[in-house]
Amino acid sequence: MTINRETILNAIVSDLGIENYILAIWLEGSDGTKTLDEYSDIDLVCYTKEGCIDAAFTRLDACMHRLGKVDIAYEETGRPTNNRYKVYHLQESSDSLLVDVTIQSESVPVLFINEDKTVVPVILIDKTGIVKYQNVDHTTHHSQLQSQLIRAQGIYSQRNRAVKYTKRGLFLESLIYYHKFVVNPLVDVLRIIYTPFQADSFLVHASRDFPVEVVLTLEKLYGVRTVEDIVDRIELIDKLFRNAVAEAHVMLLQSKESENLADTNP
């Protein structure tokens, strides 16, 4: 029998929700953005009292094993002890139905940004009003975007790391440096222009977030197969990057001026 997302969610919520150390459970990802389809995974966040994350994972592990045969149970290493992440998959569920679970404790603040429509919680349990929203801090946000723009320019200034490997005729080395020092920083600048509240998303949901013409251009830029392709794309990106940086500068300047005007006219 196939195990579907509703069965998994109902089991987790009913099992973990009865524990007094579980303060809140909510969904993010495609559930929050209302882009759910047959290939969507489950992005679940559990919020616990301090010092109870181990107990929560023990309970969750047992719940998943009761549901069916667990063929993936991978916990990401190197994360803080108060903000852990684990991926599950049940053999009896569809191949794409991964269960991505983040368990956080009270020392991790929970604040969602009203202006950010890509991270929207769907609350399943909230016993004490954990989930809260706030408006973006425009000064901080502007500073973050400015830093991202400066970083992208700094990385792009090293584009000759890719160029020299094209001159050597080495495709793999050209490819990795082409991505790192040429096309990837272009994406970071485009994010500032088109999705300033998701500026760090890189290519995640790029096909959804960027205009069609930008998506088609990026597909062409990433679709290189030879050294000659890379040489051609670098020449094209030089112009695209200059134009994008100029546009981002204007956008940031205008947003700063609007911010200053708002401060003088409360």
Side-chain angles (χ1 to χ4, degrees), residues 66-108:
R66 281 195 296 274
L67 276 169
K69 179 175 175 55
V70 177
D71 55 10
I72 298 176
Y74 167 73
E75 181 169 359
E76 188 174 280
T77 59
R79 291 175 65 97
T81 56
N82 64 350
N83 187 4
R84 291 165 57 188
Y85 170 78
K86 192 168 183 177
V87 180
Y88 298 88
H89 182 264
L90 296 173
Q91 184 173 289
E92 298 90 342
S93 67
S94 69
D95 292 342
S96 58
L97 190 54
L98 296 173
V99 184
D100 302 334
V101 182
T102 301
I103 301 187
Q104 305 170 338
S105 63
E106 290 173 292
S107 55
V108 178

Side-chain angles (χ1 to χ4, degrees), residues 130-262:
I130 295 294
V131 177
K132 294 182 174 64
Y133 282 88
Q134 69 175 21
N135 292 328
V136 68
D137 181 324
H138 290 287
T139 300
T140 301
H141 185 236
H142 183 277
S143 177
Q144 291 169 340
L145 294 179
Q146 189 68 51
S147 296
Q148 180 164 319
L149 180 58
I150 292 170
R151 181 176 182 275
Q153 289 176 278
I155 294 172
Y156 194 82
S157 70
Q158 303 171 62
R159 60 185 282 287
N160 279 322
R161 295 182 185 274
V163 172
K164 70 180 180 182
Y165 279 109
T166 65
K167 292 178 178 179
R168 291 169 177 163
L170 301 173
F171 174 71
L172 292 178
E173 291 83 352
S174 298
L175 180 65
I176 190 171
Y177 287 118
Y178 167 70
H179 281 180
K180 182 174 181 179
F181 294 105
V182 185
V183 68
N184 291 0
L186 173 63
V187 173
D188 287 337
V189 178
L190 293 173
R191 277 291 181 184
I192 294 170
I193 296 168
Y194 292 104
T195 63
F197 294 108
Q198 303 88 43
D200 61 350
S201 294
F202 190 49
L203 288 175
V204 177
H205 298 305
S207 299
R208 178 193 70 190
D209 295 341
F210 289 136
V212 172
E213 63 273 16
V214 174
V215 172
L216 293 174
T217 297
L218 289 174
E219 288 176 353
K220 177 180 179 180
L221 297 179
Y222 278 101
V224 294
R225 302 184 64 181
T226 66
V227 169
E228 291 72 27
D229 286 345
I230 294 175
V231 171
D232 174 70
R233 302 307 191 274
I234 290 175
E235 184 176 342
L236 174 60
I237 292 172
D238 281 340
K239 181 179 179 180
L240 293 172
F241 190 80
R242 284 195 304 270
N243 291 343
V245 167
E247 186 173 349
H249 272 306
V250 170
M251 189 196 81
L252 291 174
L253 180 61
Q254 290 174 341
S255 68
K256 189 65 175 179
E257 289 173 348
S258 299
E259 193 180 308
N260 292 338
L261 186 62

Side-chain angles (χ1 to χ4, degrees), residues 12-24:
I12 292 174
V13 170
S14 61
D15 198 321
L16 273 69
I18 62 174
E19 295 291 346
N20 61 10
Y21 57 76
I22 297 291
L23 302 178

